[in-house]
Amino acid sequence: MREAVPEPQGEDDLIRSALAGDDEAFAGLVRNHKAAVLRTAARFARNDAELDDLGQETFMRAYQSLSSYRGDAPFGHWLSRITIRACYDFLRERRRHEKDVSLDALAYSVADPSSGAVFSSEQARLILERGMSRLKPADRLVITLFELEDRSVREVAALTGWSETLVKVRAFRARKALKRSIGGENER
Amino acid sequence: MNDRPKDDRDVRLERIFAAAKTASPDVSGVARNFETRLMARIAESRGSGEPWYGWAWRLAPAFIVLTLLLGAWTLVFDPVRATDPGTMLVAVAEQVTLVDDLTGG
């Protein structure tokens, strides 16, 4: 279950000042929220350079649309939606140029379920990266939010702007596709 | 029999998810001075307003379409497309008369 993150003190003041053109105030907002944004973005980026790009793209979008923030939800929630949107666009863009990630060093024997293998987090990350690189961006997004970030259907729907029914359907299909992708890899 | 591999793949997938979740990604390297880099990028984007010729390039497709339409219109509606000398003479005479009327000649 995800813990509610308390709104940092003075956030409203920072937003007002940033809207009035105070760059230092916006930098303060970035300082307060960069860890959360980067943690989410790190699920989609393959290295630090991509993560930095994705983080900056997210905050650039937030900066450009700050005037549309109405304050009816915590700033962090509003920023989460922008983060997810940026990650989704990033995945779609990357898919156009993507080639298979080379994982020659990965010992796939550990993925044999009959051996009762235990995965290290790094092995699991690599297997998932490879398996998910073949999924559609929407499938990858929904798997990441559901399975790795433990978000609920309602949360995923709110973050992506999709209906709850669509989220459920996509989650089911994405899981099936990922099983096929990882299973097929392992059976080679 | 057929369900057996499906079960195995489910188990394996759960194991992979569980292992991937145990480690939260290390973002400390990127987080260091992140806001400094970002604010520099924002300042740069604010300083580099688009030059006027940026707009000119954006209008280029519209001008191309307009040119093509005008070209097509000229081909379809040109009334003096005749090749015989008589028709051409009449057309020239009409033009001369029109010019005289307009210029008071």
Side-chain angles (χ1 to χ4, degrees):
Chain A
M1 196 64 191
R2 182 163 295 275
E3 286 176 25
V5 180
E7 194 85 347
Q9 212 169 13
E11 190 110 301
D12 289 343
D13 293 338
L14 286 177
I15 293 166
R16 262 194 297 277
S17 301
L19 280 171
D22 182 352
D23 280 355
E24 193 46 48
F26 187 73
L29 287 171
V30 175
R31 256 190 301 277
N32 288 345
H33 293 278
K34 67 179 176 183
V37 167
L38 290 175
R39 267 199 304 273
T40 300
R43 298 282 187 198
F44 304 95
R46 288 177 300 198
N47 51 48
D48 279 1
E50 279 189 356
L51 178 58
D52 195 43
D53 280 350
L54 193 45
Q56 290 207 18
E57 175 62 24
T58 300
F59 280 108
M60 282 293 283
R61 289 185 187 193
Y63 179 81
Q64 283 157 358
S65 56
L66 192 59
S67 57
S68 72
Y69 173 63
R70 292 192 301 275
D72 47 3
F75 183 75
H77 290 191
W78 179 78
L79 191 58
S80 291
R81 281 200 295 275
I82 293 178
T83 309
I84 294 302
R85 191 71 227 179
C87 291
Y88 184 46
D89 291 344
F90 168 78
L91 288 177
R92 289 200 297 182
E93 183 61 31
R94 192 171 73 187
R95 192 174 162 86
R96 289 194 202 122
H97 316 287
E98 192 162 62
K99 291 182 179 151
D100 256 5
V101 184
S102 171
L103 294 179
D104 295 341
L106 184 66
Y108 267 100
S109 58
V110 296
D112 179 4
S114 60
S115 69
V118 177
F119 299 97
S120 77
S121 59
E122 181 60 12
Q123 283 170 331
R125 193 188 65 75
L126 288 170
I127 293 169
L128 273 181
E129 175 58 45
R130 177 117 181 186
M132 293 214 284
S133 70
R134 301 190 186 107
L135 301 188
K136 291 177 192 163
D139 289 352
R140 181 170 181 160
L141 186 72
V142 87
I143 283 278
T144 303
L145 294 175
F146 258 132
E147 304 290 356
L148 301 180
E149 300 230 313
D150 283 335
R151 307 261 190 180
S152 66
V153 172
R154 182 174 291 182
E155 279 180 307
V156 177
L159 285 169
T160 55
W162 301 332
S163 71
E164 291 188 20
T165 310
L166 182 59
V167 169
K168 285 180 196 167
V169 170
R170 280 199 167 146
F172 177 76
R173 285 186 189 156
R175 198 182 159 92
K176 203 169 155 188
L178 183 60
K179 264 196 297 187
R180 209 168 35 235
S181 174
I182 290 177
E185 184 70 47
N186 201 45
E187 281 153 18
R188 274 178 199 170
Chain B
M1 282 297 278
N2 286 344
D3 287 340
R4 178 76 182 158
K6 280 186 184 174
D7 292 343
D8 285 348
R9 286 196 299 184
D10 272 326
V11 170
R12 186 170 59 225
L13 199 55
E14 289 305 330
R15 276 196 206 129
I16 292 171
F17 285 144
K21 271 192 285 194
T22 54
S24 64
D26 178 20
V27 298
S28 57
V30 175
R32 199 171 304 122
N33 299 324
F34 178 81
E35 55 273 27
T36 309
R37 293 194 300 279
L38 176 71
M39 296 319 291
R41 185 174 159 185
I42 287 174
E44 191 185 357
S45 72
R46 200 190 290 135
S48 61
E50 192 168 15
W52 64 269
Y53 47 82
W55 285 100
W57 278 113
R58 285 189 195 179
L59 290 174
F63 281 122
I64 291 170
V65 170
L66 187 65
T67 308
L68 289 174
L69 286 174
L70 281 172
W73 183 82
T74 310
L75 283 175
V76 173
F77 293 105
D78 186 3
V80 262
R81 187 144 284 281
T83 49
D84 64 298
T87 312
M88 288 173 73
L89 272 175
V90 171
V92 170
E94 280 176 353
Q95 278 185 352
V96 170
T97 310
L98 182 64
V99 169
D100 283 348
D101 285 347
L102 291 175
T103 57

